[in-house]
């Protein structure tokens, strides 16, 4: 069985490292990164991912717009997208989920919560035929 592929999309290099280091401690996967939504969409056009962990607030193209564009691409409905952001109001979460985001984590990233959300989405995928 091949390793799952994760794309971490975050404009802060330091935060990308934190998320990738956290993921690598809890998951045996392949981790790639992008620093904005445009890079994320471009990477998804050439390589499919199992999960995308994406910041909302980024320059050039924010996470919601990038997620929307990815959802329109071939395979875009199959990828699990988790928004990782500082935006934390109930209306922010509702907006993200209604825009096609599968799950939502408020920064700072809690390792246990991240692992639980990924496992929940993996289970959901495995039960959908």
């Amino acid at each position: 069985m091949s390793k799952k592929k994760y794309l971490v999309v975050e404009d802060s290099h330091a935060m990308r490292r934190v998320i990738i280091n956290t993921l690598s401690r809890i998951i045996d996967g392949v981790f790639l990164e992008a620093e904005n939504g445009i890079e994320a969409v471009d990477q998804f056009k050439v390589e499919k991912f199992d999960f995308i962990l994406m910041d909302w607030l980024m320059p050039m193209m924010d996470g919601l717009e990038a997620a929307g564009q990815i959802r329109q691409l071939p395979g875009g409905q199959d990828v699990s997208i988790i928004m990782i952001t500082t935006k934390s109001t109930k209306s922010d979460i509702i907006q993200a989920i209604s825009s096609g985001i599968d799950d939502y984590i408020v920064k700072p990233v809690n390792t246990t919560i991240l692992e639980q959300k990924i496992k929940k989405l993996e289970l959901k995928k495995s039960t959908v035929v």
Side-chain angles (χ1 to χ4, degrees):
M1 187 170 160
S2 62
K3 292 182 179 183
K4 290 195 177 355
K5 291 196 303 194
Y6 296 79
L7 179 61
V8 176
V9 187
E10 165 68 57
D11 58 317
S12 162
H13 176 75
M15 184 56 70
R16 280 197 314 272
R17 299 296 349 135
V18 166
I19 294 169
I20 289 171
N21 288 340
T22 300
L23 284 170
S24 65
R25 285 195 308 273
I26 60 175
I27 296 165
D28 184 26
V30 176
F31 309 104
L32 299 173
E33 54 190 276
E35 65 179 61
N36 60 57
I38 293 171
E39 282 186 19
V41 172
D42 288 345
Q43 283 193 43
F44 195 83
K45 287 177 181 175
V46 296
E47 189 163 8
K48 299 305 173 243
F49 296 91
D50 298 289
F51 287 88
I52 298 175
L53 293 90
M54 184 154 16
D55 187 18
W56 186 330
L57 303 172
M58 296 181 289
M60 299 169 63
M61 180 187 293
D62 71 30
L64 280 188
E65 185 178 347
Q69 288 191 24
I70 288 168
R71 291 288 189 219
Q72 299 302 312
L73 295 171
Q77 292 297 319
D78 301 327
V79 64
S80 294
I81 302 176
I82 300 174
M83 185 69 67
I84 299 179
T85 183
T86 56
K87 292 177 70 85
S88 61
T89 68
K90 185 176 180 179
S91 64
D92 291 333
I93 296 168
I94 291 168
Q95 181 183 2
I97 299 298
S98 65
S99 298
I101 301 301
D102 294 297
D103 215 327
Y104 199 95
I105 297 175
V106 177
K107 292 178 184 174
V109 177
N110 175 294
T111 305
T112 303
I113 291 172
L114 178 60
E115 184 175 20
Q116 288 173 347
K117 289 186 181 271
I118 288 172
K119 286 183 177 178
K120 181 181 89 175
L121 289 170
E122 284 178 334
L123 183 62
K124 183 178 173 184
K125 273 185 172 180
S126 68
T127 58
V128 176
V129 182

